[in-house]
Amino acid sequence: MEGPVDLGARGKGTLQVGFRTARLEDRLREIAAEGVQAGVTAFLALAMGAWIIGMFAGERIGRVVSRIEILAADPGRFRPLRAGLGLGGDEVSRLAEAFNRMGASLKAETSRRRELEAEKQELSAMLVHDLKTPLTVIRSGITLLADLADEGGQRRHARTFELLEMSTARLQRMVEDVLQLAKLEETSSLQNLHRVDVLSLAKDCSTDFELVVADRKQKLELRLPDEAPPPVLGDSALLRRVLDNLVHNAVEHTPAGGVISIGVLRDGEGVTVSVCDSGPGVPVSARADIFRKFFQKDVKRHVGNVGLGLALCAKVVARHGGKIGIGDAKPKGARFYFTLPAAIEPSPADV
Ligand SMILES: Nc1ncnc2c1ncn2[C@@H]1O[C@H](COP(=O)(O)OP(=O)(O)OP(=O)(O)O)[C@@H](O)[C@H]1O
Ligand SMILES: [Mg+2]
């Protein structure tokens, strides 16, 4: 305030009015700080809330997703999502409820299908097994009759007996393949494991096919390595079946005058066995599928063949920890081969 002020007997003077702003400024600063604090706290609370909600929803979705993955891998392992997931209401819950319904029906369907499959397999294994006995009787009967007819000078029957003999042999082979394949599919590990000398296996196979090959005017060669290959750990009957099937295919696909060769090679730490022929070969387009069951490349298939031979070969080789493949023979034809790992030498502690 400016200007003179009447102070009565004391004359005139000046009145000065004022207040200290320092405290006010301090207070204002306090208020501002409290405001910022409250804002930050509110923001943190909000962010925290959103994070918790997100985590909760994310965790629930994560649980649904992992159950879907289990269901997709094997419907038989389906377990419903429990109410603890918060069933009822929101989208995640509806998803979980739909998942529970779908999983339950898939599980029921899968177990019904598996029961039927097991019954079917058991029945066909029994049937196939029972076929073996009458087949053996028929085959020996034919051989006996053929000999009798020969002795009685009835040579004109010779061709009929030959055909009968060939057909029963083929039937026996088919029955054997179906049985072996079913056995391999049933069990996960091989029984009857021994040290197998692949070289002897190849020699025996070549001897057994001598007559068949001669009958077809074909030539069978045996190519053996200078250095004996290491023994493999395996089921010799099954490995022989692999060789027989490959040679049988080679015989069937090679024309008269053609050559079939069985080769054994020491291959790194293992052994490679190959069967080459001079037939038409297998086109590259069919090679990926040729080891599948019932796959037959030729439209004009060989009568009586079912397409199981190579599937059995592939399964047996895989069970032995080996690899099977197909390529070109030189100068033409198919080259089927399989590699087997060498048997691991027992350590001194095992002996
Ligand atoms: N050496 C080969 N040369 C040309 N094609 C072959 C040869 N081996 C197999 N194949 C083809 O592969 C198909 C499958 O062979 P696989 O041995 O699995 O069955 P299959 O001989 O037809 O019947 P199965 O062996 O069960 O009596 C044959 O049908 C044939 O088309
Ligand atoms: Mg075959």
Side-chain angles (χ1 to χ4, degrees):
M1 176 180 287
E2 279 184 23
V5 175
D6 191 1
L7 297 176
R10 298 178 73 178
K12 288 183 187 247
T14 309
L15 178 65
Q16 283 191 341
V17 179
F19 57 86
R20 289 160 55 123
T21 58
R23 282 191 60 190
L24 182 63
E25 279 167 15
D26 283 351
R27 183 65 193 129
L28 279 174
R29 243 182 257 120
E30 270 172 33
I31 290 170
E34 279 165 15
V36 169
Q37 236 175 28
V40 169
T41 313
F43 173 76
L44 282 178
L46 261 173
M48 191 84 153
W51 182 69
I52 289 170
I53 290 169
M55 281 283 287
F56 182 59
E59 198 227 307
R60 291 163 76 211
I61 291 175
R63 276 161 66 188
V64 178
V65 169
S66 69
R67 290 290 176 86
I68 289 176
E69 281 167 353
I70 293 173
L71 182 71
D74 179 5
R77 282 174 55 211
F78 164 74
R79 277 185 301 120
L81 286 157
R82 275 175 287 112
L85 191 80
L87 297 181
D90 68 3
E91 297 297 313
V92 181
S93 304
R94 281 176 52 204
L95 177 69
E97 278 163 11
F99 166 79
N100 280 352
R101 283 196 301 277
M102 181 184 74
S105 84
L106 268 178
K107 185 179 183 174
E109 183 56 35
T110 306
S111 66
R112 206 174 66 84
R113 213 193 58 228
R114 282 185 183 159
E115 274 168 26
L116 280 175
E117 197 68 36
E119 265 176 43
K120 209 175 77 190
Q121 262 188 12
E122 204 179 316
L123 192 73
S124 57
M126 260 164 53
L127 268 175
V128 174
H129 186 266
D130 290 352
L131 272 174
K132 275 174 77 174
T133 321
L135 262 177
T136 315
V137 175
I138 292 170
R139 197 167 172 190
S140 356
I142 292 171
T143 314
L144 187 71
L145 284 175
D147 289 348
L148 286 175
D150 210 23
E151 279 170 22
Q154 295 169 300
R155 285 183 189 269
R156 66 198 163 93
H157 295 314
R159 184 65 190 150
T160 314
F161 281 124
E162 211 175 285
L163 289 176
L164 282 171
E165 171 95 74
M166 266 167 53
S167 296
T168 34
R170 175 171 281 165
L171 213 56
Q172 258 182 335
R173 215 167 44 78
M174 272 166 54
V175 166
E176 205 55 56
D177 278 359
V178 174
L179 258 181
Q180 295 285 14
L181 203 57
K183 251 192 228 161
L184 281 176
E185 278 169 359
E186 252 171 43
T187 54
S188 55
S189 61
L190 288 172
Q191 279 109 38
N192 304 327
L193 288 181
H194 302 284
R195 279 168 181 266
V196 182
D197 175 14
V198 182
L199 219 53
S200 317
L201 223 59
K203 283 182 192 162
D204 291 348
C205 174
S206 153
T207 311
D208 288 353
F209 271 92
E210 262 170 16
L211 280 180
V212 181
V213 167
D215 197 41
R216 293 183 176 240
K217 316 264 181 299
Q218 297 163 337
K219 223 176 117 196
L220 180 61
E221 293 174 352
L222 195 56
R223 294 188 182 163
L224 303 179
D226 297 332
E227 191 191 350
V232 303
L233 189 66
D235 180 324
S236 60
L238 282 178
L239 290 174
R240 176 64 203 271
R241 203 103 221 103
V242 175
L243 250 181
D244 282 3
N245 272 330
L246 295 182
V247 176
H248 210 279
N249 281 349
V251 167
E252 279 189 327
H253 291 90
T254 303
V259 183
I260 293 146
S261 74
I262 306 175
V264 180
L265 252 182
R266 190 188 180 110
D267 186 357
E269 290 300 295
V271 190
T272 295
V273 182
S274 59
V275 176
C276 298
D277 62 57
S278 55
V282 176
V284 175
S285 59
R287 290 182 188 175
D289 294 313
I290 210 160
F291 296 103
R292 277 200 294 117
K293 261 200 267 188
F294 310 120
F295 177 84
Q296 292 185 316
K297 170 183 71 68
D298 303 327
V299 183
K300 191 166 60 73
R301 37 180 277 202
H302 290 273
V303 182
N305 287 11
V306 280
L308 279 181
L310 288 179
L312 178 68
C313 293
K315 193 139 269 174
V316 172
V317 171
R319 283 290 165 87
H320 281 81
K323 285 202 179 86
I324 193 162
I326 175 172
D328 293 313
K330 284 188 181 111
K332 71 178 282 252
R335 174 177 181 266
F336 282 87
Y337 60 90
F338 60 93
T339 346
L340 298 169
I344 299 163
E345 288 297 323
S347 66
D350 296 335
V351 182

